[in-house]
Amino acid sequence: MKKYAIVYCENQFGSMDGKTANGLIRNSGMYEITAVIDSSKAGQDSGEFLDQKRNGIPICRDLQEAIASSKEKPNYFILGIAPADAFLKKEERQVIINAMEAGMNIINPLQEFLTEDEEMMRIAQQYGVEIRDIRKPRPKKEWTLFTGRILQVRTPIIAVLGTDGACGKRTTAMMIDKRLQERGYRTAFIATGQTGLIQGASYGFAMDAFPLQYMIGELEREIVRANEIEKPDIIIVEGQGALSHPAYVSSCGILKGARPKAVILQHPPKRKVLGDFPFMTMPTVQSEIDLIEHFGQTKVIAITLNHEGMSDDELQKTIVEYEQKFRMPVTDVLKMGPDKVINRLIEYFPSLQNKRKSGVAV
């Protein structure tokens, strides 16, 4: 059955806390998005609002309007919000119930597991729909600790890390992955958060659902599994949070579990404070590079920018300034595409050069 979905993102579409909805509008993966719910932006086109590119997916006032506006009958309801507290508010709970009453399966990316909620499961059973908790991990008896097998992986592994949460790491990683494939390289993409999993990533897990020591082992397991099955030319690991971030440890787990041979650093130049922690100032690009390279024993080889709050002129000036200062390629993949980063990766990894020389890749 075709998966037609409404994405709920009340009052958050286009913001940090709406990053799941934002990601699904840019790349819906296995779903066809029919409408977005955000009453504060109702009546607008979601693509035009997000990226100034009309996509025909309307932003609607409520569930009823979203259903009526959908060209196809939606059979999935996706929570597109990622609030810092990760728990449902009363009104959000009610709209999920309304969606199940309308015959929609529920995709839940929050830490609050609806499959463990008696009322929600009773309603789901009553209306013959399913609930999927994206962040819910496998049974504990199946969890794995670090084994060291990652040290035997010879395939280039890169990670897209950042200077803050919700600054575009997954979007950049997925665009790099797609462009590498278009240029003839075999890739394996490792999702580390809920949005990538909703989009249908074949490998990965929600890192923040695991204790740190298992987080490291589970990431190692997924990379080794992807390497053995896909036999890729390169492995791209989606980043989470920031290594310097005072509240998150996922970047630490990525550097330990993935052992990336190189890192792309994503940065929003206009942010002065951390997104969900306005009492904390943003780290500098140089301080984050130094921290990543020292802690991860790896190399930052390119910088990608998030253009939020920037004019095109400001963005171009920042790119020139950063390239002169940091002596590495700098770009904004949403505005300019990822080819500058791809070229740097090919230059940095001899195995990718060899494939291009053999005529397999361009």
Side-chain angles (χ1 to χ4, degrees), residues 33-49:
I33 308 303
T34 63
V36 174
I37 298 173
D38 184 342
S39 63
S40 67
K41 304 166 187 72
Q44 301 185 63
D45 179 272
S46 60
E48 199 164 50
F49 177 83

Side-chain angles (χ1 to χ4, degrees), residues 34-149:
T34 63
V36 174
I37 298 173
D38 184 342
S39 63
S40 67
K41 304 166 187 72
Q44 301 185 63
D45 179 272
S46 60
E48 199 164 50
F49 177 83
L50 196 61
D51 295 317
Q52 296 77 55
K53 297 176 183 177
R54 191 170 184 82
N55 62 10
I57 302 173
I59 306 177
C60 299
R61 184 178 64 255
D62 53 28
L63 179 62
Q64 290 70 33
E65 183 180 301
I67 293 172
S69 300
S70 297
K71 295 176 182 178
E72 300 286 346
K73 179 176 170 54
N75 48 12
Y76 283 85
F77 179 90
I78 302 174
L79 274 169
I81 51 177
D85 58 11
F87 291 98
L88 288 172
K89 298 179 177 64
K90 183 178 179 180
E91 58 270 22
E92 293 163 352
R93 185 179 180 86
Q94 185 58 52
V95 77
I96 292 172
I97 291 172
N98 294 343
M100 289 193 286
E101 291 172 345
M104 283 181 266
N105 302 292
I106 305 300
I107 304 299
N108 170 38
L110 303 183
Q111 295 277 20
E112 181 179 356
F113 300 145
L114 301 185
T115 53
E116 297 176 359
D117 184 306
E118 290 185 9
E119 181 189 23
M120 288 293 190
M121 292 305 293
R122 177 178 55 77
I123 295 171
Q125 186 175 17
Q126 179 182 350
Y127 289 94
V129 298
E130 295 181 351
I131 296 175
R132 182 185 173 201
D133 289 322
I134 298 299
R135 271 189 166 110
K136 192 171 185 177
R138 302 190 327 276
K140 286 185 179 181
K141 63 182 180 181
E142 298 178 15
W143 294 2
T144 55
L145 292 168
F146 182 74
T147 67
R149 293 181 68 196

Side-chain angles (χ1 to χ4, degrees), residues 256-268:
K256 286 181 173 290
R259 303 293 171 118
K261 277 76 171 179
V263 167
I264 311 299
L265 183 65
Q266 177 84 9
H267 177 65

